[in-house]
Amino acid sequence: MSDPHPTDVLVIGSGAAGLTAALNLADRFRVTVLAKGRLDEGSTAWAQGGIAAVLEPGDTFDNHVEDTMVAGAGLNDRDVVEFVVERAPAAIERLAELGVPFNLAEDGGEGWHLTREGGHSHRRIVHVDDATGWAVQVALLRAAEAHPNITLVPDMVAVDLATSRHELRYSGAGNVWGVYAYNRTTAQVELYTARATVLATGGAGRTYLFSTAPRGATGDGIAMAWRAGARVSNMEFMQFHPTCLYNLEVKNFLITEAVRGEGGRLINPVTGKRFMPYYDADRLELAPRDVVARAIDAEIKRFGLDYVHLDISHRGPDFVKAHFPTIHAKLLGLGIDMTTGPIPVVPAQHYTCGGVVVDRDGRTDLPGLYAAGEVSQSGLHGANRLASNSLLECFVYGEAAAAHIAAQWDGLPPPPPIRAWDESRVTDSDEEVVIKQNWTEIRRFMWNYVGIVRTTKRLERAAHRIKMMQEEVADYYGHFRVTPDLIELRNLLQSAELIVRSALHRKESRGLHYTLDYPRTVEPPQDTVLIP
């Protein structure tokens, strides 16, 4: 165990939320940013869509608020939605100043090109082609690397928050003083201490067999905050994207909604029949995401399929290549020609709407601990996230947390002496196969039992499996040196438990939580809040 690394503010996560917080603090304070892998490996870089903001004449803040509330099935906190929506245009301006090359309006018009996405009543999505997240990640990283007060540390896997329980003199207070993190380069656990810690660790998508999330999205921040004593909310609301490529080599390649928009049909590979007419005769393949995802899920379960087919080959090769050059080229490299035959697709987990409970300043329940982005539950998304509101939340809350830390700085006590990580009583494991087996098992039963359509019986089966595995993993964790895989497995399992517990608690269907046992929606809407 090396000496502790002290800093003023510690940020865990190097995506949009973490880097926004760091850049807003660095003029006054020393900031250390830890990334789990490479600095650009988080979800931000993967975001294809864009950022929602009211920028079009005729559009209003009220419209954006209303669209967000409708998508969120009324579970959103209206004050929070207004707070975020009103700060969106300024956030876009700041990104443009940082050098994000947003697409300009076509035909020499003023301002940026705005697209429209599902659930939005106006064109209000600024974007950089179909790779907005990457452009944002590059601009934020460039600014952070250039700032003398920001230290960026890649390949650090957070293990647990350092709290008052880890002080040399034990304290029962719930303060957070930093984090213990595993250094992939030295294979040692190191201690980082700070007056304030910002969790910006992303979601828990990898609890599912199929997910569009990057490999590192294992719910680390949510699990660490929960173990440290913070409340977690609305974990049952997992957003699924209807059409992700089914391919055993390529784990998370999205087939954009636009393929269906341009006439793509969903076909059952066994019967050869188009099946959307049975589920939504009016809107067919262009029904909302949750409807299409549930329909595909129903076909897969009923016929015991691995995937369904998405076919646009009837539109002709020239049309397909002109409209979808990137997807066409990618699939061709995998031996699939979408101009002549169907694409195998499955729904995939896409976004974690729940998370660590935060207030308007990004504060969690624990003094010294803040959270921003997908790791948090701010009240913005409710029971279903509106398209392109996710990056927006990262900027607004990254900034809000930074502003609160700066304003309260004199009241934030410096960290007391914290105990070093102790591995004197553990040995190296020779059973990595146990971790791999458990990881695969969690993702499979979460997919089958806690997926798009749920029943109480399936949820109880999942809860039973989780309980057995928790004993096994706790025993393993107590006896062996930590590795990145073991850390992630422990967090995956904790996240899975929070998802299942929340889903069992909700006795209604609302937004992304759909259960055959309680198909109706119950008023008034209520958050599921779990207390450690």
Side-chain angles (χ1 to χ4, degrees), residues 307-351:
Y307 53 83
V308 297
H309 279 150
L310 173 61
D311 194 357
I312 194 171
S313 59
H314 57 278
R315 294 299 312 257
D318 293 343
F319 178 89
V320 172
K321 283 184 212 166
H323 279 73
F324 307 107
T326 317
I327 295 176
H328 176 259
K330 174 85 172 175
L331 293 177
L332 218 47
L334 298 167
I336 300 164
D337 185 349
M338 67 188 283
T339 66
T340 59
I343 308 166
V345 294
V346 285
Q349 188 284 341
H350 190 55
Y351 190 83

Side-chain angles (χ1 to χ4, degrees), residues 33-246:
V33 179
L34 303 184
K36 187 175 181 176
R38 291 200 324 265
L39 293 165
D40 60 5
E41 239 173 356
S43 295
T44 296
W46 293 62
Q48 291 177 343
I51 306 158
V54 173
L55 298 163
E56 183 188 59
D59 194 6
T60 64
F61 287 150
D62 284 348
N63 290 337
H64 191 175
V65 168
E66 213 43 53
D67 291 345
T68 302
M69 297 290 294
V70 168
L75 197 66
N76 332 54
D77 178 333
R78 183 177 277 275
D79 289 345
V80 166
V81 177
E82 288 172 359
F83 171 74
V84 174
V85 163
E86 285 165 13
R87 281 158 181 74
I92 305 289
E93 288 289 349
R94 277 191 294 278
L95 289 168
E97 283 165 21
L98 281 174
V100 177
F102 292 119
N103 289 29
L104 297 171
E106 291 167 350
D107 306 326
E110 289 194 2
W112 293 301
H113 179 255
L114 303 175
T115 58
R116 187 166 164 184
E117 290 184 347
H120 289 274
S121 56
H122 287 72
R123 286 185 170 270
R124 65 166 76 101
I125 318 298
V126 296
H127 62 102
V128 183
D129 298 333
D130 57 358
T132 310
W134 180 253
V136 167
Q137 181 73 44
V138 166
L140 290 171
L141 254 183
R142 200 169 45 216
E145 282 166 344
H147 205 296
N149 277 350
I150 296 179
T151 306
L152 298 163
V153 191
D155 290 322
M156 299 298 296
V157 187
V159 183
D160 258 321
L161 293 168
T163 67
S164 303
R165 292 197 292 266
H166 303 105
E167 290 175 24
L168 286 181
R169 287 182 55 235
Y170 175 82
S171 156
N175 277 61
V176 170
W177 302 114
V179 73
Y180 293 102
Y182 176 93
N183 183 329
R184 288 182 198 263
T185 312
T186 63
Q188 298 290 315
V189 175
E190 301 178 10
L191 171 63
Y192 282 79
T193 59
R195 282 198 200 193
T197 301
V198 181
L199 276 182
T201 50
R206 285 307 179 125
T207 38
Y208 285 88
L209 186 59
F210 300 105
S211 172
T212 63
R215 193 189 166 300
T218 48
D220 305 336
I222 295 168
M224 290 194 303
W226 172 258
R227 289 194 293 265
R231 286 172 306 157
V232 166
S233 170
N234 289 356
M235 288 297 289
E236 68 272 39
F237 298 116
M238 279 288 180
Q239 192 175 64
F240 290 83
H241 194 289
T243 55
C244 184
L245 173 68
Y246 178 83

Side-chain angles (χ1 to χ4, degrees), residues 264-277:
R265 298 166 183 166
L266 288 165
I267 291 164
N268 181 315
V270 171
T271 64
K273 281 197 180 130
R274 185 178 182 185
F275 56 81
M276 278 314 292

Side-chain angles (χ1 to χ4, degrees), residues 187-503:
Q188 298 290 315
V189 175
E190 301 178 10
L191 171 63
Y192 282 79
T193 59
R195 282 198 200 193
T197 301
V198 181
L199 276 182
T201 50
R206 285 307 179 125
T207 38
Y208 285 88
L209 186 59
F210 300 105
S211 172
T212 63
R215 193 189 166 300
T218 48
D220 305 336
I222 295 168
M224 290 194 303
W226 172 258
R227 289 194 293 265
R231 286 172 306 157
V232 166
S233 170
N234 289 356
M235 288 297 289
E236 68 272 39
F237 298 116
M238 279 288 180
Q239 192 175 64
F240 290 83
H241 194 289
T243 55
C244 184
L245 173 68
Y246 178 83
N247 183 294
L248 298 175
E249 301 306 309
V250 180
K251 283 290 187 275
N252 42 14
F253 186 66
L254 265 189
I255 307 296
T256 170
E257 218 149 312
V259 173
R260 301 200 304 286
E262 296 295 346
R265 298 166 183 166
L266 288 165
I267 291 164
N268 181 315
V270 171
T271 64
K273 281 197 180 130
R274 185 178 182 185
F275 56 81
M276 278 314 292
Y278 304 115
Y279 296 94
D280 197 314
D282 295 331
R283 295 174 294 186
L284 303 168
E285 279 82 2
L286 290 180
R289 275 183 187 182
D290 57 333
V291 175
V292 179
R294 280 200 287 273
I296 295 172
D297 184 71
E299 291 288 301
I300 285 173
K301 285 196 168 74
R302 201 167 131 221
F303 288 87
L305 309 170
D306 284 330
Y307 53 83
V308 297
H309 279 150
L310 173 61
D311 194 357
I312 194 171
S313 59
H314 57 278
R315 294 299 312 257
D318 293 343
F319 178 89
V320 172
K321 283 184 212 166
H323 279 73
F324 307 107
T326 317
I327 295 176
H328 176 259
K330 174 85 172 175
L331 293 177
L332 218 47
L334 298 167
I336 300 164
D337 185 349
M338 67 188 283
T339 66
T340 59
I343 308 166
V345 294
V346 285
Q349 188 284 341
H350 190 55
Y351 190 83
T352 307
C353 289
V356 182
V357 176
V358 293
D359 68 5
R360 193 88 62 83
D361 296 311
R363 281 187 297 181
T364 70
D365 297 324
L366 305 174
L369 182 67
Y370 295 76
E374 196 176 353
V375 68
S376 69
Q377 201 288 97
S378 64
L380 174 63
H381 304 307
N384 181 18
R385 172 176 73 78
L386 180 66
S388 291
N389 268 355
S390 48
L391 283 174
L392 176 58
E393 182 184 37
C394 293
F395 307 128
V396 173
Y397 272 87
E399 199 167 303
H404 191 269
I405 291 167
Q408 304 296 317
W409 186 254
D410 294 338
L412 294 171
I418 304 288
R419 285 200 301 270
W421 183 258
D422 177 18
E423 46 178 47
S424 58
R425 298 187 298 280
V426 294
T427 57
D428 286 322
S429 164
D430 57 357
E431 296 183 22
E432 290 294 309
V433 64
V434 176
I435 294 177
K436 200 171 169 63
Q437 162 66 25
N438 280 346
W439 176 293
T440 310
E441 199 178 321
I442 292 171
R443 294 176 66 206
R444 195 166 283 283
F445 74 64
M446 287 296 286
W447 183 257
N448 289 333
Y449 295 158
V450 199
I452 296 163
V453 176
R454 300 162 180 180
T455 66
T456 304
K457 197 171 184 176
R458 284 184 207 153
L459 291 173
E460 283 169 348
R461 278 184 182 144
H464 178 65
R465 293 264 161 70
I466 288 168
K467 197 169 183 305
M468 282 168 27
M469 287 172 82
Q470 276 182 321
E471 289 165 13
E472 197 174 301
V473 171
D475 179 59
Y476 195 96
Y477 183 80
H479 285 94
F480 298 116
R481 278 198 185 87
V482 295
T483 62
D485 285 350
L486 177 57
I487 295 163
E488 288 189 330
L489 175 66
R490 182 173 175 241
N491 292 333
L492 268 184
L493 195 54
Q494 182 57 73
S495 301
E497 195 230 355
L498 295 169
I499 294 164
V500 172
R501 197 194 295 191
S502 302

